[in-house]
Amino acid sequence: MKFLRSFLDKHKPAFEKGGKYSALHSLFAGVTFLYVPDRVTRSGCAIRDAVDLKRMMSVVVLALVPALLFGMYNVGYQHFLATGGEPGFWSLFLHGFWRVLPMIVVSYVVGLGIEFTAAQLRGHEINEGFLVSGLLIPMVMPVTAPLWMVGLSTAFAVIIGKEIFGGTGMNIWNPALLARAFFFFSYPSRVSGDKVWVDGLADGVSRATPLAEAYQGTPFTHDLGTMFWGLIPGSIGETSAFCILLGAVLLLVTGVASWKIMLAVFIGGAGTALLLQHALPDANPYSHVTVARHLLAGGFAFGAVFMATDPVTAAQTAAGKWIYGLLVGIVAIVIRVLNPGYPEGMMLAILLMNTFAPLIDWCVVQRNVARRLKRGKIPA
Amino acid sequence: MSKRITLKKGLDIKLQGEADARKIFRVSSDLYAVKPTDFRALVPRLEVRVGDAVRAGDPLFSDKYRPEVKFTAPVSGVIDAICRGEKRQLLAVTVKADEKITYKRFDVPPAGKLSREKIIELLLESGLWPLIKQRPYDIIADPSARPVAIFVTAFDSSPLAPDYRVLLQNDAAAIRAGLEALDTLAGGALHVNAREKDDWHFPDNARVNYFSGPHPAGNAGVQIHHLAPLHKGEIAWVVNLPDAALIGRFLLGGQVDPRKTIALAGSEVTEPAYIETIAGARIGSIVEGRLRDRGRQRVISGNVLTGDRVEMDSFLGFYHQMLTVIPEGDRPEFLGWAMPGFDKFSMSRTFPSFLFPGKRYRLDTNYHGEQRAFVASGQYEKVLPMDILPVYLLKAILAGDIEKMEQLGIYEIAPEDLALCEFACTSKIPVQEIVADGIALMMKELT
């Protein structure tokens, strides 16, 4: 390690102002991924909390790992379920691994490439802003998504969703969901229907997700237990409620994600699902979809845990978090049940509430201002 | 009515090297100084030249815009240097101390006969007036103003803070005289904010309020927020109890005698203890020979959250009751953000420190990261026990939006009140600097 450090120290001046490679200064800043810089406090607090954005983001990445690994396994499982054959655990997993890995690589290469270029053009330092998004993007895609579409969606999300607003911390919409929304509206046949969720499906065969079954009113193939453990068709990372729960536990124990938002999304979703289940006439297929089925199906749990809680795009005041989370849950179920167009509503619900989060916060801030004006005068 | 207020939000950062109350060392310095940079927004006008002889209590410089506010020599001696920085900014006036201190005599009437005007005149003349600060803005009080109340803070809750009971163990008479004078200044609205466990016996005329909870429970701004929040146009004055005792000692003795006890604390001090010295003492005279030899160190006049970085040839800050010495953190750390980090302290639970609530840490001055845009939400609120939305206030300051700053509470805060926000910030945002800029902007626009 000494060698690495002295190598870096030796070449550092070349990347600084006036140095030979000063044009690539933003790239050298990437060294901070290897070493926490030796920078010390000058003014203000002499000591600083050990946490930084890299630490926070690496916790989220760690929380995604169970869902990701299971997603890889499930890709293999669904593939062999559809095509026949009874390979062992490792064959299933490796099949999925080799299907998913290229998507992850494409997402990171395209996303980081654009971020580096943007940092370079602006004279900023590169940062860790894409660490989480880069992994989330493939996890919310169907495994059959062509790599170039993954790349294009990523590019759209990073450029239009993030960089034009000023980069990390400035974006209005969750970049990963924006990538999926771009994909969804640009190539609808590749991200909906019964043929896209399982890799290597033969012509004429289809595999419906639980949400599609609810939408079409066909009998349910999967019981709640299977849905909880996650051996169902769906986007790569979203199927296993159990693995998402593991991630949620890590996010909540470390305090990286807001428990208020997470809880509020589930309360909003469960309440709306319960209401609609009983309010709808018997002829409506959704009157047979229970609360548990709603929460376990599709991207609800994944969205609630990993997407709605994105601190940049969610509401930021304490009261705002409750309102925002409740509305995400409510809108997601409303889109699923009452909108004739889409069987799934989580993505659109979160993006919609991302749009309204600043308004929610504005209202909370105004209430704070009004309350502070009304406070009592000094006792005589 | 006195109040009991329990605060839940905040953070006690447990550092190694708390000063031992049983050890009190006496230290005298060769040089003493008064530093104009200790006072927010002060433009000083120099009143001495190098080589002039001064007594303790003779003016060294005054406020250019309020010449009646004087800053006086803490000891008698000869002006040793007039230190200037960029653009000839006056940094310090140093006095080479006499062997035996001679004092300028002030004609102080007996306690019962002191009028408000006379007290103000005496404090201005003696150079003790700057001990009284004003909220909003955290600046030296305006002697012509009428404060709604005066708040005396009787404890310090910051990391490794000195115990005021130890600092003031021989000052009962001075405390009484100081509080009585402040009561006269306040026109009867004197609040003393203390901790229950300190068991002080204050004069009857003071309203004693008891605060408990983690830091910043001891900050005047936080206390005022809970007792009598300031609205636009209102002014409160604040004084630390040790400074109130200095005022009392002056009024009893008729001379400027700023002896004070401070804490010398921190993980790099061999024997953390209390030090009896005189205001403005040279840092080197206090810390030399008392530090561990394990790498570069940072000496801080004040506490680790709000204090000033000082060198050996600098001087104790005007308002400071402690010196803290911690290690410099100027070493790069391999994959530091990815390691478990058992020796690190974090308010977030992304480091294991939350599993060991009683552990004391040897924290250094490393930034632990780089500055980013605001990302994490809710963490500032955890350490600010005020009904204020800190991120929105900071953004209003950054945008220079005066109206928003007023609405969101700029009148109620000083940089020190948001120091813990700066400590805890994941994005490493210079919170105190932003607040100071905001205060400077308000003062520029509204006066």
Side-chain angles (χ1 to χ4, degrees):
Chain A
M1 286 308 113
K2 277 249 167 66
F3 162 76
L4 182 60
R5 187 67 229 174
S6 54
F7 175 81
L8 288 172
D9 284 341
K10 190 175 140 207
H11 292 283
K12 191 176 176 189
F15 287 90
E16 282 168 350
K17 220 174 185 174
K20 204 165 24 165
Y21 308 115
S22 62
L24 294 175
H25 64 92
S26 67
L27 212 58
F28 193 81
V31 166
T32 62
F33 280 93
L34 275 180
Y35 286 94
V36 171
D38 55 358
R39 185 160 164 238
V40 294
T41 54
R42 298 273 152 197
S43 61
C45 295
I47 55 172
R48 298 297 170 104
D49 196 290
V51 74
D52 67 349
L53 216 47
K54 285 189 183 66
R55 183 79 175 189
M56 229 177 98
M57 296 215 165
S58 46
V59 169
V60 183
V61 169
L62 206 61
L64 281 168
V65 165
L68 177 67
L69 293 180
F70 182 85
M72 290 173 171
Y73 172 78
N74 191 40
V75 165
Y77 176 83
Q78 297 295 336
H79 170 75
F80 287 107
L81 196 67
T83 59
E86 282 192 5
F89 173 83
W90 285 107
S91 309
L92 290 180
F93 179 77
L94 284 174
H95 175 87
F97 178 79
W98 288 115
R99 287 291 299 166
V100 175
L101 186 68
M103 297 173 75
I104 298 177
V105 171
V106 165
S107 156
Y108 272 118
V109 167
V110 172
L112 289 178
I114 293 169
E115 291 232 324
F116 284 15
T117 313
Q120 193 69 46
L121 290 177
R122 290 206 192 101
H124 288 183
E125 293 177 344
I126 60 162
N127 67 44
E128 57 284 334
F130 195 67
L131 272 187
V132 172
S133 307
L135 195 54
L136 279 173
I137 289 173
M139 289 177 75
V140 294
M141 300 262 174
V143 67
T144 57
L147 291 180
W148 68 271
M149 287 186 190
V150 175
L152 196 62
S153 307
T154 307
F156 176 85
V158 176
I159 296 172
I160 305 294
K162 200 168 156 191
E163 291 306 330
I164 62 166
F165 289 104
T168 304
M170 306 293 188
N171 46 310
I172 297 175
W173 298 288
N174 183 304
L177 278 181
L178 207 60
R180 192 178 199 272
F182 176 83
F183 185 39
F184 183 83
F185 288 112
S186 306
Y187 312 101
S189 64
R190 304 309 300 255
V191 67
S192 50
D194 300 340
K195 300 191 181 295
V196 300
W197 307 107
V198 175
D199 159 44
L201 218 52
D203 274 351
V205 185
S206 65
R207 280 279 182 277
T209 62
L211 277 180
E213 290 169 353
Y215 179 64
Q216 294 151 358
T218 49
F220 300 126
T221 333
H222 305 286
D223 61 9
L224 289 177
T226 319
M227 289 170 72
F228 177 75
W229 297 109
L231 290 172
I232 53 173
S235 298
I236 294 168
E238 72 177 17
T239 61
S240 171
F242 173 71
C243 291
I244 293 166
L245 190 67
L246 289 182
V249 168
L250 180 65
L251 289 181
L252 293 178
V253 166
T254 54
V256 166
S258 160
W259 65 269
K260 294 189 185 87
I261 294 177
M262 230 186 261
L263 185 64
V265 175
F266 280 106
I267 291 174
T272 314
L274 193 68
L275 193 74
L276 288 174
Q277 187 196 343
H278 291 98
L280 289 172
D282 224 25
N284 189 313
Y286 281 104
S287 65
H288 306 293
V289 183
T290 60
V291 172
R293 185 162 282 270
H294 260 305
L295 300 191
L296 292 175
F300 193 92
F302 192 82
V305 172
F306 294 110
M307 304 289 207
T309 55
D310 171 8
V312 175
T313 56
Q316 298 178 354
T317 53
K321 285 174 184 172
W322 284 109
I323 300 169
Y324 162 91
L326 283 171
L327 286 172
V328 167
I330 292 170
V331 173
I333 302 297
V334 165
I335 294 177
R336 276 184 185 178
V337 177
L338 298 182
N339 181 311
Y342 312 122
E344 171 61 304
M346 198 58 182
M347 169 185 86
L348 294 169
I350 296 175
L351 287 174
L352 185 71
M353 292 325 295
N354 282 171
T355 315
F356 282 109
L359 180 64
I360 297 172
D361 281 335
W362 185 84
C363 295
V364 175
V365 171
Q366 289 312 112
R367 278 186 60 92
N368 174 271
V369 169
R371 183 171 65 238
R372 291 164 37 71
L373 273 176
K374 272 196 290 189
R375 290 174 309 179
K377 292 265 175 187
I378 192 151
Chain B
M1 275 295 292
S2 63
K3 288 186 180 172
R4 273 188 174 68
I5 292 166
T6 305
L7 302 176
K8 292 209 172 66
K9 292 175 174 180
L11 178 69
D12 284 326
I13 303 167
K14 295 198 170 67
L15 299 179
Q16 290 176 9
E18 194 166 7
D20 185 344
R22 288 162 304 181
K23 295 176 189 157
I24 301 183
F25 303 118
R26 184 168 295 180
V27 167
S28 59
S29 171
D30 45 348
L31 284 176
Y32 294 84
V34 184
K35 299 179 286 180
T37 49
D38 285 347
F39 310 95
R40 183 186 311 287
L42 173 70
V43 181
R45 194 183 61 191
L46 198 57
E47 303 209 344
V48 288
R49 277 184 287 191
V50 174
D52 286 1
V54 289
R55 294 163 296 173
D58 276 332
L60 299 176
F61 55 88
S62 58
D63 183 340
K64 185 176 170 189
Y65 300 112
R66 286 185 303 195
E68 68 274 21
V69 178
K70 294 189 168 67
F71 301 83
T72 56
V75 293
S76 63
V78 177
I79 303 298
D80 184 68
I82 286 160
C83 311
R84 291 187 183 273
E86 278 176 38
K87 296 186 189 165
R88 290 184 49 76
Q89 186 198 4
L90 185 60
L91 299 180
V93 178
T94 66
V95 181
K96 191 164 176 36
D98 290 338
E99 285 285 311
K100 189 171 184 318
I101 298 175
T102 54
Y103 297 92
K104 178 181 176 184
R105 290 297 306 174
F106 292 85
D107 188 17
V108 183
K113 299 245 170 71
L114 276 167
S115 66
R116 187 172 191 270
E117 289 66 34
K118 185 67 184 171
I119 295 173
I120 293 176
E121 183 197 314
L122 281 168
L123 293 182
L124 285 168
E125 200 59 36
S126 63
L128 295 180
W129 182 260
L131 293 172
I132 303 174
K133 283 211 216 177
Q134 160 196 316
R135 295 298 173 96
Y137 304 151
D138 189 39
I139 51 175
I140 297 171
D142 175 0
S144 64
R146 279 276 177 178
V148 290
I150 296 182
F151 297 88
V152 175
T153 44
F155 68 102
D156 184 347
S157 55
S158 62
L160 298 177
D163 181 350
Y164 283 3
R165 293 297 312 223
V166 180
L167 300 190
L168 302 171
Q169 50 192 324
N170 302 318
D171 284 308
I175 291 173
R176 178 164 291 271
L179 291 181
E180 270 163 12
L182 290 172
D183 187 45
T184 309
L185 287 185
L190 177 69
H191 291 256
V192 181
N193 303 327
R195 281 187 301 211
E196 194 112 49
K197 68 170 184 186
D198 284 342
D199 195 30
W200 291 98
H201 296 286
F202 292 116
D204 297 336
N205 48 15
R207 290 193 187 94
V208 184
N209 307 295
Y210 293 102
F211 281 81
S212 58
H215 186 61
N219 280 16
V222 173
Q223 294 166 352
I224 297 173
H225 179 89
H226 287 275
L227 292 171
L230 289 181
H231 293 87
K232 186 177 182 177
E234 290 176 339
I235 285 176
W237 288 353
V238 301
V239 190
N240 267 333
L241 190 62
D243 294 337
L246 282 186
I247 291 173
R249 194 188 301 154
F250 162 72
L251 293 173
L252 290 175
Q255 59 193 26
V256 175
D257 178 15
R259 279 174 291 125
K260 63 200 249 181
T261 307
I262 62 164
L264 174 59
S267 62
E268 303 313 288
V269 180
T270 43
E271 204 179 359
Y274 285 83
I275 304 281
E276 208 182 296
T277 183
I278 299 176
R282 193 171 62 85
I283 300 296
S285 67
I286 301 171
V287 301
E288 267 159 17
R290 297 180 198 274
L291 301 185
R292 288 181 208 278
D293 185 20
R294 40 180 193 189
R296 273 191 291 274
Q297 293 138 342
R298 166 82 58 97
V299 184
I300 300 154
S301 178
N303 67 60
V304 289
L305 294 175
T306 62
D308 301 321
R309 169 190 189 152
V310 288
E311 305 298 333
M312 290 297 168
D313 58 357
S314 186
F315 302 87
L316 183 63
F318 190 79
Y319 296 104
H320 294 153
Q321 326 287 354
M322 72 181 303
L323 288 177
T324 318
V325 190
I326 56 173
E328 280 287 6
D330 52 352
R331 290 169 302 277
E333 192 192 356
F334 185 66
L335 288 180
W337 54 279
M339 297 294 176
F342 282 99
D343 56 342
K344 293 202 180 133
F345 179 79
S346 175
M347 185 187 82
S348 80
R349 297 185 298 266
T350 57
F351 283 85
S353 63
F354 75 97
L355 299 171
F356 311 100
K359 187 172 167 186
R360 287 190 169 266
Y361 292 84
R362 178 178 177 237
L363 300 186
D364 62 29
T365 61
N366 192 288
Y367 242 85
H368 300 297
E370 297 157 298
Q371 194 174 332
R372 296 284 183 257
F374 286 106
V375 170
S377 62
Q379 56 183 184
Y380 286 11
E381 285 81 355
K382 281 184 197 160
V383 291
L384 184 67
M386 297 168 106
D387 185 17
I388 280 179
L389 298 167
V391 175
Y392 290 89
L393 175 54
L394 292 176
K395 285 182 177 174
I397 295 173
L398 289 170
D401 186 337
I402 302 279
E403 198 189 334
K404 273 260 158 59
M405 287 157 67
E406 284 186 335
Q407 291 177 344
L408 293 170
I410 187 78
Y411 295 127
E412 294 193 62
I413 58 161
E416 61 173 25
D417 298 326
L418 269 70
L420 275 171
C421 300
E422 177 171 301
F423 168 80
C425 185
T426 303
S427 296
K428 312 292 172 190
I429 292 185
V431 174
Q432 296 189 80
E433 195 181 305
I434 295 173
V435 175
D437 289 349
I439 289 174
L441 182 66
M442 294 301 291
M443 290 175 67
K444 184 168 154 250
E445 295 292 322
L446 298 188
T447 49

